[in-house]
Amino acid sequence: MARAEYPEAVSALVGELKRLPGVGPRSAERIAIWLLQHPRAEPLALAEALQAAKETVISCEVCGFFATRESCGICDDPKRDPSVLCVVEQATDVLPLERSGAFKGRYHCLGGKLSPLDRVSPEDLRIPALVARLDATPGVEVILALGADVEGEATSNYLADLLRGKDCRITRIAQGLPAGGGLDHADELTLMRALEGRRAF
């Protein structure tokens, strides 16, 4: 007797869900079944939202944050202080800083951090774009708001050495973040104190 399995379409859906970060085989199976059977599930609306996001959301050419082809909410905001530039690893690191309410300047998302083991070198990050921004706007304070893990420290040290000859002031957020952790795991108060307690680097 053949063993009962999901139809091929369900198995394909589970397979795609398993590819998402943090979603294991059992979670993927539960999500797929919920999408197919729960009365409040809207799988078509989810598919349309995914497709619309894929078609319209891009990385801003200037700061690297999420934007549309028409505009970037950060770069287009005239109330932001152009004399302060906060450098973060990923675009998602901007949101915890924004939620803290402690930072009113502009951002630069590197798109990662230096990691020789993962073969991520300076050429793989948005470092040339950062240098170009600083050349275009002298006198800017550059806040290095990178993670406190080994790769974050290495990236901060690399950037500090690279930018030392530029017309900019280099600071680093205070060490209020847990060792080995990134911005996405820090609470708003920790981030606020880290920004307020930044020091020369």
Side-chain angles (χ1 to χ4, degrees):
M1 183 172 70
R3 205 172 76 184
E5 294 287 349
Y6 287 121
E8 188 176 331
V10 178
S11 297
L13 175 59
V14 171
E16 288 301 313
L17 290 169
K18 279 196 305 192
R19 295 173 57 195
L20 297 173
V23 178
R26 294 289 298 149
S27 294
E29 190 176 320
R30 281 194 294 272
I31 294 169
I33 299 306
W34 185 87
L35 285 170
L36 295 173
Q37 293 188 331
H38 199 281
R40 287 175 41 205
E42 297 285 348
L44 296 181
L46 173 62
E48 288 172 11
L50 281 170
Q51 185 171 0
K54 182 67 175 170
E55 290 172 356
T56 59
V57 177
I58 60 170
S59 290
C60 174
E61 291 183 8
V62 177
C63 71
F65 189 62
F66 301 104
T68 63
R69 300 193 191 285
E70 295 79 35
S71 67
C72 169
I74 292 175
C75 293
D76 295 345
D77 187 351
K79 295 180 181 175
R80 292 193 171 271
D81 185 355
S83 68
V84 188
L85 186 66
C86 185
V87 179
V88 296
E89 292 169 16
Q90 302 288 352
T92 51
D93 294 331
V94 169
L95 298 175
L97 289 165
E98 284 294 290
R99 290 180 189 129
S100 77
F103 184 70
K104 306 296 182 193
R106 299 191 181 276
Y107 294 94
H108 188 87
C109 308
L110 293 174
K113 54 190 171 182
L114 297 176
S115 178
L117 292 177
D118 297 323
R119 297 183 180 174
V120 179
S121 65
E123 295 77 31
D124 299 315
L125 305 178
R126 298 186 66 249
I127 294 174
L130 172 62
V131 173
R133 287 181 79 178
L134 295 176
D135 288 341
T137 53
V140 170
E141 177 188 359
V142 178
I143 303 172
L144 301 176
L146 307 177
D149 57 0
V150 174
E151 293 88 357
E153 291 289 332
T155 308
S156 294
N157 287 324
Y158 177 85
L159 290 175
D161 290 341
L162 179 70
L163 302 178
R164 230 176 278 285
K166 300 284 179 190
D167 182 10
C168 65
R169 179 173 166 241
I170 305 167
T171 58
R172 173 99 193 253
I173 58 172
Q175 296 300 313
L177 301 174
L183 293 177
D184 54 335
H185 297 298
D187 64 292
E188 295 165 9
L189 181 60
T190 300
L191 284 169
M192 188 169 66
R193 287 178 176 166
L195 279 166
E196 290 173 352
R198 64 184 183 269
R199 56 184 170 78
F201 187 68

